Amino acid sequence: MVTPPAPPDAGADLADRIRSALAGAGDPVRAEGQQRYMKSAMPYRGLTSPELRLLLRPLLRAYEPGSRADWESTVLDLWDRATHREEWYAALAVARHRSARAWLDPESLPLWRHLVVTGAWWDVVDETATHLVRDTLAGHPGVVTPVIDAWSVDDDVWLRRTSVICQVGRGADTDRDLLLRSVEANLEDPSFWLRKGIGWGLRDYARTDPDWVWAQVDRLGDRLSRLSRKEATKHRPVDG
């Protein structure tokens, strides 16, 4: 009996197609400026965000992962083999692909952790936190909440930032107790990224429940850094 050939790996094909498309795109002069601005050890190709979205659109539109394993391997292929930062951005776009919505569950948390810890910079960490981790938490709060609590006291500063900002955009669905635990766990940390993140997380929720946020800011007092307080109260009325 003749064994039929294995079907092509759509994920590997997509990763190769993306790398090929990126290799012939961009502006070298802009790339140098982007790398300086982002303080990135990894170089850029020099595409603007709209240009990158336009380049990826037809490739992602045609992408249909055969399985969760195919999808995850594609994300990791683009991420772990990246030579230019746009490949990281493409990996995040694949991670957020419409076909992967069902896989934003607790099983994906090790992947999100990998992206945060190895990305270790605000552009990719914030994208991972405020979309991938946020949606995973929203869909499975009972399982994911303890993981976020653990991340809030992890040795890795970017996991701690993720714990603070991973509910940005959830509005009335925000678990404010989880937000407060993540904030309070990191009040003593001198990191700019954590202090900025604390301010951002509180400011975002203030759009939904400003009285609660102002009360927490007042209760925390000097335990809240000047930067966190400034960010958190950016839209607080002067007499509030």
Side-chain angles (χ1 to χ4, degrees):
M1 182 176 179
V2 177
T3 303
D9 186 335
D13 182 62
L14 175 65
D16 288 342
R17 287 174 181 268
I18 288 174
R19 277 190 284 264
S20 178
L22 287 173
D27 178 340
V29 175
R30 182 189 293 128
E32 292 180 3
Q34 289 173 321
Q35 187 174 2
R36 284 196 302 271
Y37 172 75
M38 288 301 298
K39 300 179 175 64
S40 173
M42 188 184 296
Y44 278 81
R45 293 288 185 187
L47 286 87
T48 64
S49 294
E51 288 171 345
L52 180 60
R53 286 194 296 270
L54 187 63
L55 181 148
L56 293 176
R57 187 175 300 150
L59 297 171
L60 294 177
R61 185 183 297 126
Y63 175 57
E64 293 294 340
S67 67
R68 181 191 195 112
D70 288 344
W71 162 73
E72 184 168 331
S73 68
T74 304
V75 175
L76 289 172
D77 189 340
L78 284 164
W79 189 272
D80 291 342
R81 295 177 58 196
T83 59
H84 292 75
R85 208 166 184 91
E86 286 90 348
E87 291 166 57
W88 273 5
Y89 301 155
L92 292 173
V94 173
R96 295 180 60 191
H97 193 269
R98 66 185 184 281
S99 296
R101 295 298 304 171
W103 300 323
L104 302 187
D105 60 22
E107 194 176 334
S108 68
L109 289 171
L111 178 58
W112 307 154
R113 181 187 179 98
H114 177 74
L115 300 184
V116 168
V117 172
T118 58
W121 201 238
W122 66 267
D123 56 339
V124 291
V125 168
D126 292 4
E127 174 83 1
T128 303
T130 61
H131 293 287
L132 298 168
V133 176
R134 181 189 69 190
D135 292 354
T136 304
L137 172 64
H140 306 271
V143 178
V144 178
T145 296
V147 176
I148 302 304
D149 278 324
W151 286 4
S152 74
V153 294
D154 195 273
D155 289 340
D156 187 90
V157 68
W158 296 104
L159 282 175
R160 284 183 276 132
R161 177 176 168 92
T162 296
S163 78
V164 172
I165 67 172
C166 68
Q167 297 193 78
V168 164
R170 292 195 68 196
D173 293 326
T174 298
D175 179 344
R176 68 186 191 185
D177 292 333
L178 175 60
L179 170 62
L180 189 58
R181 289 197 301 274
S182 294
V183 166
E184 291 189 317
N186 289 285
L187 289 175
E188 305 302 321
D189 195 286
S191 166
F192 168 86
W193 298 110
L194 266 172
R195 294 185 174 194
K196 188 85 168 179
I198 287 170
W200 181 18
L202 291 172
R203 183 180 73 247
D204 179 78
Y205 187 56
R207 301 174 188 273
T208 299
D209 192 346
D211 291 341
W212 182 85
V213 172
W214 309 152
Q216 298 308 318
V217 167
D218 292 341
R219 181 182 66 83
L220 293 171
D222 291 341
R223 295 178 63 202
L224 202 62
S225 73
R226 182 178 300 180
L227 175 59
S228 297
R229 179 181 294 275
K230 178 182 177 181
E231 290 294 322
T233 60
K234 186 171 289 187
H235 304 301
R236 186 177 190 175
V238 175
D239 58 349

